[in-house]
Amino acid sequence: MIEDKNPQRTSIAQLGEFGLIEHLTRNFDVTQESTLKSIGDDAAVLDFKDKKVVVSTDLLIEGVHFDLAYMPLKHLGYKAVVVNISDICAMNAKPTQITVSVAVSNRFPLEALEELFAGITHAAKEYNVDVIGGDTTSSQKGLIISITAIGEADENEIVYRNGAKQTDLLVVTGDIGAAYMGLQVLEREKQVFQVNPNSQPDLDAYTYLIERQLKPEARKDIRTLLHALEIKPTSMIDISDGLSSEIIHLCKQSKVGCNLYEDKLPLDPQFISVCEEFNIDSTTVAINGGEDYELLFTIAMEDFEKIKANPNFSIIGHMTQESEGIHLVTRANTKIALKARGWDALSE
């Protein structure tokens, strides 16, 4: 297919704010029983009856959270939804609705926003959530996206960060570190392109890592899996800022310590290979890289038999007395104090 060197660019100003909202939201369907009124009034109306409501919100800012040099707008729209859905999943709740707000500068034509909202629409359908409102406004610089996610759960289903007990097992879903290495590959190829714009990257060897960075998935399946296994976690968090940071959050809020075992970390073979290529220690990346959006949780020791052979979960450590501290136990059986070296948007 020949690339269109002169793509259509429709000025957003031609539509105006209300025309833009109508244009971008025309493909959103309502599927949740709890959605009584979605887009089109001063506020959405929800009815959760006897369920508890959980709410989370995130900002994604160009130049801080994403780089449009290698992040396609459709992927960005999808990812923006996923990172918020993941927070609802981390409460052991079912995601049901989202609101979407965007601020754009005049460098973005209507077609760019259509791509962004195509990704949002795809994610809403994939995760069966209703888009029930939001806002659009102008930005002096780049693109800003704010999404609020809403979910429901019975009161006895909700899992907080502060419930871990001494001797609880520490469990993680999937594998970790791949999203960070995907970002390193993309950043390297960006540098190459800036030096030689005619260079075309060959990314076949990095497919999994790049997908983990550009199109992550929230673990909506874990709630169902745990219910089927008759396991309720004692604490839970999603891995957005790095495994070490998330473990420390659980420990501080639960007032416990932790031993994390290096040889138990679930690492994808492609991840290990690319760490070697970049001459980066795989354990360092696995515990400090963020954006995996896997779930990290603790379970009571008596639930070990229910989970030990399940391929969706890896038992990577156990909780201890708070006074013992938070440590990584290396393959050489030495203890290293775990520090929060993951993502911090407010760091210098």
Side-chain angles (χ1 to χ4, degrees):
M1 182 181 292
I2 299 174
E3 181 182 357
D4 184 358
K5 299 296 183 182
N6 297 292
Q8 184 179 355
R9 290 178 60 89
T10 304
S11 170
I12 292 173
Q14 288 180 225
L15 283 79
E17 181 179 3
F18 297 112
L20 177 64
I21 292 170
E22 184 177 346
H23 182 84
L24 293 176
T25 61
R26 67 192 188 280
N27 293 323
F28 292 142
D29 299 321
V30 173
T31 62
Q32 295 290 333
E33 289 183 8
S34 52
T35 306
L36 300 186
K37 178 67 177 179
S38 59
I39 297 168
D41 217 305
D42 291 295
V45 181
L46 308 178
D47 179 10
F48 289 92
K49 297 181 173 63
D50 58 347
K51 298 281 187 179
K52 300 300 179 184
V53 180
V54 295
V55 181
S56 182
T57 191
D58 265 322
L59 272 172
L60 293 176
I61 299 174
E62 184 178 356
V64 177
H65 300 100
F66 60 88
D67 187 338
L68 291 177
Y70 48 72
M71 170 64 83
L73 284 165
K74 190 171 183 179
H75 286 70
L76 177 61
Y78 190 93
K79 183 173 181 176
V81 175
V82 164
V83 301
N84 284 274
I85 295 291
S86 182
D87 284 331
I88 303 301
C89 295
M91 300 297 293
N92 201 35
K94 170 190 171 186
T96 49
Q97 289 91 7
I98 58 171
T99 66
V100 179
S101 296
V102 295
V104 290
S105 66
N106 58 13
R107 88 174 201 265
F108 290 91
L110 174 63
E111 288 74 20
L113 284 187
E114 286 177 336
E115 277 291 291
L116 179 71
F117 271 74
I120 292 171
T121 303
H122 181 55
K125 291 178 179 176
E126 183 72 20
Y127 287 90
N128 193 28
V129 295
D130 294 341
V131 182
I132 59 169
D135 193 18
T136 58
T137 190
S138 60
S139 164
Q140 289 297 314
K141 291 187 177 179
L143 174 62
I144 300 171
I145 307 168
S146 176
I147 291 184
T148 296
I150 300 164
E152 66 176 32
D154 291 335
E155 186 171 10
N156 61 1
E157 292 178 315
I158 297 174
V159 178
Y160 300 95
R161 296 180 181 181
N162 63 0
K165 304 289 191 296
Q166 297 175 27
T167 75
D168 279 358
L169 302 175
L170 184 66
V171 185
V172 71
T173 64
D175 60 81
I176 54 177
Y180 179 86
M181 286 312 298
L183 179 62
Q184 301 316 299
V185 170
L186 291 167
E187 285 286 351
R188 181 184 67 181
E189 296 306 320
K190 176 186 173 182
Q191 299 300 322
V192 171
F193 179 78
Q194 288 175 338
V195 173
N196 179 13
N198 293 319
S199 172
Q200 293 298 315
D202 182 4
L203 301 176
D204 287 347
Y206 314 104
T207 305
Y208 178 67
L209 306 185
I210 291 172
E211 182 177 358
R212 292 282 279 177
Q213 172 57 220
L214 297 185
K215 190 177 175 289
E217 300 292 352
R219 295 307 304 261
K220 65 176 182 177
D221 58 323
I222 297 303
R223 181 172 183 261
T224 303
L225 282 170
L226 290 174
H227 186 266
L229 292 169
E230 298 182 342
I231 294 173
K232 181 187 175 183
T234 53
S235 67
M236 186 183 284
I237 192 170
D238 77 327
I239 305 176
S240 55
D241 300 329
L243 180 67
S244 58
S245 297
E246 315 303 4
I247 289 174
I248 291 170
H249 283 313
L250 291 185
C251 288
K252 285 185 175 180
Q253 295 203 26
S254 296
K255 293 181 170 52
V256 294
C258 179
N259 284 331
L260 169 70
Y261 292 89
E262 181 181 20
D263 62 350
K264 301 297 184 183
L265 296 173
L267 309 179
D268 183 83
Q270 189 177 102
F271 164 77
I272 295 171
S273 173
V274 176
C275 282
E276 292 173 355
E277 178 185 338
F278 277 71
N279 196 27
I280 300 176
D281 179 65
S282 60
T283 298
T284 301
V285 175
I287 65 176
N288 296 312
E291 295 195 294
D292 291 309
Y293 300 105
E294 296 292 344
L295 295 179
L296 176 73
F297 58 93
T298 54
I299 61 171
M301 182 71 78
E302 51 263 33
D303 286 330
F304 171 72
E305 292 295 329
K306 300 176 185 177
I307 208 171
K308 67 175 183 179
N310 195 300
N312 294 284
F313 307 113
S314 297
I315 299 170
I316 59 173
H318 63 87
M319 314 316 275
T320 63
Q321 292 183 8
E322 186 177 19
S323 59
E324 291 189 27
I326 308 168
H327 293 94
L328 172 70
V329 181
T330 69
R331 293 185 180 90
N333 205 32
T334 58
K335 280 189 173 183
I336 301 173
L338 204 60
K339 296 183 179 179
R341 293 194 175 95
W343 167 253
D344 182 353
L346 300 180
S347 62
E348 293 292 336

